[in-house]
Amino acid sequence: MSAVEDFHQSLEQLKKVERFRSLNAFRADGIYLITDSNVRLCNFGSNDYLGFASHRAKLERQGAGSSALVAGWTDTHRELTEALAAFEQTDSACLFPSGYAACSGVVSTLARDADVIFSDSLNHASLIDGCRLSNAVCFVYPHRDVVALRSMLSKHRARFRRAWIVTDAVFSMDGHLAPLVDLCDVGDEFDAGLIVDEAHATGVLGERGAGLTELLGVKDRVSVVIGTLSKAIGSHGGFAASNETTINYLINHCRSLIYSTALPPSSVVAAAQSLETIQKSSQERERVKSLAKTLRSQLGLVAEGLESSVPIVPVLIGTDKESLSVSRHLSRSGLFVPAIRPPTVPEGTARLRISLTALHTDKMLQELVSLLSDRVSELGA
Ligand SMILES: *Cc1c(COP(=O)(O)O)cnc(C)c1O
């Protein structure tokens, strides 16, 4: 039985015992809720104890006050999930309080007892926590090493019911791209589902900005795409996109979705607006790409093919102390470039992490390059 058939069966079981939950959209009007079918209900399901969220809701249409399954779900939430599903070319999508909650929740919920997870060694902490929270056995494969992953799968896969491969699309501290096509191939070969976190790729990569899965043409081969509304989308919150059964399974079982307050409508509205804009922002995407290429070539950094245009550019320094010192040096000259130290990155690989945006000018880039080149050559790095 496939994972989806399995989820479907488990949901059917819930329906039999009246425990299946689905999200109902409400509109808030002070202490009242207006349902989808325009029924006005006095709200005894809110955690807005002092009425602050309701007051604000009147002023700014914001304030959720409840978890999505209780009364925190509105038409705007539903519309955003529909827009996200269309964007990701899936049937369905759901929202989370943050990208962290989406990653940790999706992995820990979908990978169950008797399952096995294969996780890239440089995955984001939120995916790692998802592995730790799940009841599945987890193996960490060397960063982007599909050959190693393949041999781990052939050694261990048979002992487990279902297998999941979990990866960042763009690795947040290195700007590397996951080899998604190869991961899909190896996933097919060993009947393993692929879960991809597009946090740094959404809005940036792909023709419509729909991420690395779009750029590499593998949207229909991936089991679940996870993303954040807080990076290129510029709002707050997280999402997952997949087939309808898997999304319903998350709505019914995923603890970080069920037991946390729903996103406030203000974040949802902001995200929905950005999502529309993002799909038309190819000019900004081209601009960021060209800045990234220029910066890499001027700093003498080697990156292959598609990777040369990723707007995360790490400059490896080595020791924590020296990274901090270069970062301070830059900030004295008016440039903020954060130093990233362990445990965020492996021991001995402290670095500066430069993130580029379409708002950076050529002049800003030149200044960064010249300050950095001086300083880094001084350190002999
Ligand atoms: C930022 C990030 C997240 C978490 O997203 P938030 O919305 O900030 O919680 C998850 N995964 C990756 C790869 C990230 O970089």
Side-chain angles (χ1 to χ4, degrees):
M1 199 191 300
S2 75
V4 177
E5 284 162 357
D6 197 23
F7 295 152
H8 180 73
Q9 221 170 58
S10 139
L11 291 170
E12 288 304 305
Q13 207 56 40
L14 285 181
K15 283 181 187 164
K16 277 196 195 130
V17 295
E18 304 284 338
R19 290 212 174 147
F20 180 78
R21 306 161 196 221
S22 53
L23 295 168
N24 297 310
F26 290 107
R27 204 151 26 91
D29 180 12
I31 190 62
Y32 295 97
L33 293 175
I34 320 289
T35 69
D36 253 353
S37 39
N38 247 333
V39 177
R40 194 177 163 87
L41 304 169
C42 182
N43 184 5
F44 287 100
S46 167
N47 299 321
D48 176 25
Y49 296 112
L50 304 180
F52 289 0
S54 302
H55 285 313
R56 261 213 319 281
K58 280 216 142 114
L59 296 172
E60 312 163 12
R61 296 184 67 226
Q62 70 173 15
S66 301
S67 77
L69 282 164
V70 178
W73 194 249
T74 68
D75 286 342
T76 26
H77 290 77
R78 198 195 57 229
E79 282 157 22
L80 177 59
T81 57
E82 288 165 5
L84 284 165
F87 181 64
E88 296 293 351
Q89 297 173 341
T90 57
D91 301 336
S92 204
C94 58
L95 301 177
F96 291 82
S98 66
Y100 176 87
C103 290
S104 57
V106 167
V107 174
S108 61
T109 306
L110 299 186
R112 302 189 291 164
D113 302 357
D115 289 4
V116 59
I117 304 170
F118 295 88
S119 171
D120 187 288
S121 62
L122 292 190
N123 274 346
H124 189 261
S126 57
L127 293 173
I128 297 173
D129 290 357
C131 297
R132 290 179 180 166
L133 280 170
S134 93
N135 289 327
V137 171
C138 182
F139 292 100
V140 175
Y141 62 89
H143 182 47
R144 300 196 295 179
D145 189 340
V146 183
V147 175
L149 169 63
R150 201 179 170 283
S151 79
M152 289 165 100
L153 274 158
S154 70
K155 185 163 171 210
H156 301 292
R157 173 67 183 95
R159 283 192 288 132
F160 297 92
R161 189 185 51 174
R162 235 173 287 301
W164 301 92
I165 301 166
V166 175
T167 187
D168 280 12
V170 173
F171 288 85
S172 49
M173 295 302 142
D174 298 84
H176 293 159
L177 299 178
L180 290 187
V181 175
D182 294 341
L183 292 177
C184 287
D185 289 344
V186 87
D188 287 348
E189 186 181 347
F190 290 93
D191 185 24
L194 181 59
I195 298 176
V196 179
D197 175 8
E198 293 263 32
H200 289 281
T202 303
V204 179
L205 302 179
E207 183 124 338
R208 293 175 300 117
L212 185 61
T213 49
E214 182 188 26
L215 184 66
L216 299 179
V218 294
K219 282 226 178 280
D220 57 344
R221 300 184 69 193
V222 166
S223 308
V224 184
V225 164
I226 310 173
T228 173
L229 305 175
S230 72
K231 287 177 176 138
I233 293 180
S235 178
H236 188 93
F239 68 89
S242 185
N243 57 70
E244 196 175 346
T245 303
T246 302
I247 295 301
N248 276 335
Y249 190 81
L250 289 170
I251 290 169
N252 278 271
H253 293 286
C254 181
R255 297 165 72 87
S256 62
L257 184 158
I258 300 171
Y259 297 107
S260 196
T261 299
L263 287 178
S266 53
S267 302
V268 175
V269 169
Q273 286 169 352
S274 300
L275 194 60
E276 268 189 34
T277 314
I278 264 177
Q279 301 182 58
K280 301 176 211 145
S281 302
S282 29
Q283 228 172 324
E284 285 81 356
R285 273 189 283 283
E286 286 308 315
R287 171 70 184 157
V288 183
K289 255 195 237 173
S290 105
L291 283 173
K293 281 191 175 162
T294 309
L295 179 63
R296 279 192 175 81
S297 86
Q298 296 195 352
L299 290 177
L301 299 171
V302 196
E304 294 150 32
L306 295 172
E307 221 155 73
S308 62
S309 56
V310 172
I312 298 171
V313 182
V315 179
L316 230 67
I317 306 282
T319 71
D320 298 10
K321 198 170 156 217
E322 281 171 353
S323 329
L324 282 175
S325 131
V326 183
S327 173
R328 287 197 193 110
H329 170 71
L330 293 173
S331 88
R332 276 194 296 273
S333 310
L335 305 181
F336 174 70
V337 182
I340 310 286
R341 290 163 287 163
T344 306
V345 292
E347 212 56 57
T349 69
R351 66 197 66 180
L352 296 181
R353 178 179 181 273
I354 304 168
S355 331
L356 297 165
T357 84
L359 297 180
H360 288 120
T361 63
D362 293 344
K363 189 157 168 277
M364 291 168 183
L365 204 70
Q366 270 161 25
E367 203 181 336
L368 173 64
V369 169
S370 87
L371 283 166
L372 206 53
S373 314
D374 293 353
R375 188 63 191 219
V376 170
S377 63
E378 257 170 52
L379 289 170

